[in-house]
Amino acid sequence: MAAVVLELPLLPVRVTCGFPSPAEDFFGVTDLLDLNQRCIDNPVATFFVEADTGESMEGFGIGPGDTLVVDRSKHPRPGDVVMVLWEGGFTVKQLRQRAGRFELHSGNPANAAILVPEDVELDVWGVVTWSFRKQLRR
């Protein structure tokens, strides 16, 4: 399947989240942005998945209902947020390694880390590379 190019205007400024600069009264569109080019390195190994309704990953910027971009071709490294197959279901956690063992951490300190036993091979399905959050009437 051929990738569809959908270029949208990219403004030539970074928007502040505080008080706007009076110097930015006018600006023209100088570039185009294709979300496929920005967010997807390997189209055949990338898929989208919706985050569950839980709040365990909000400390890592992933909220209930967010859309995640997962790349199966990326080699997971400690510190990456990954999608793993664990105990018969998929979960998204931050991958950490301590004393040669893998740990899966949520973004909520109230949740205990999942310690992967030494004799269990961790089945990482992919690395979460982006997340999108709907802002309008979410």
Side-chain angles (χ1 to χ4, degrees):
M1 181 164 102
V4 175
V5 176
L6 177 61
E7 295 176 329
L8 299 172
L10 176 63
L11 302 179
V13 297
R14 289 184 178 247
V15 64
T16 64
C17 293
F19 293 101
S21 167
E24 294 174 0
D25 287 342
F26 175 80
F27 48 85
V29 176
T30 61
D31 206 355
L32 295 174
L33 172 69
D34 178 359
L35 289 176
N36 290 306
Q37 288 180 332
R38 170 71 59 101
C39 303
I40 299 174
D41 292 331
N42 188 347
V44 298
T46 301
F47 60 94
F48 297 87
V49 65
E50 188 172 305
D52 199 347
T53 57
E55 298 175 352
S56 71
M57 292 301 288
E58 285 194 342
F60 296 124
I62 298 172
D66 287 358
T67 300
L68 309 179
V69 180
V70 180
D71 188 332
R72 294 200 68 189
S73 68
K74 300 241 181 260
H75 180 73
R77 292 189 264 170
D80 288 344
V81 173
V82 296
M83 181 174 163
V84 299
L85 184 59
W86 186 256
E87 295 185 348
F90 289 107
T91 189
V92 171
K93 299 290 179 206
Q94 184 188 55
L95 181 67
R96 295 186 191 173
Q97 193 170 16
R98 187 181 342 177
R101 292 180 58 187
F102 287 112
E103 298 178 350
L104 301 172
H105 288 256
S106 76
N108 183 338
N111 296 345
I114 298 171
L115 305 177
V116 180
E118 291 180 26
D119 59 339
V120 172
E121 184 176 337
L122 185 61
D123 191 1
V124 176
W125 267 64
V127 176
V128 176
T129 56
W130 288 84
S131 63
F132 297 97
R133 176 169 294 168
K134 180 179 178 180
Q135 297 297 327
L136 180 65
R137 297 189 249 335
R138 45 181 176 152

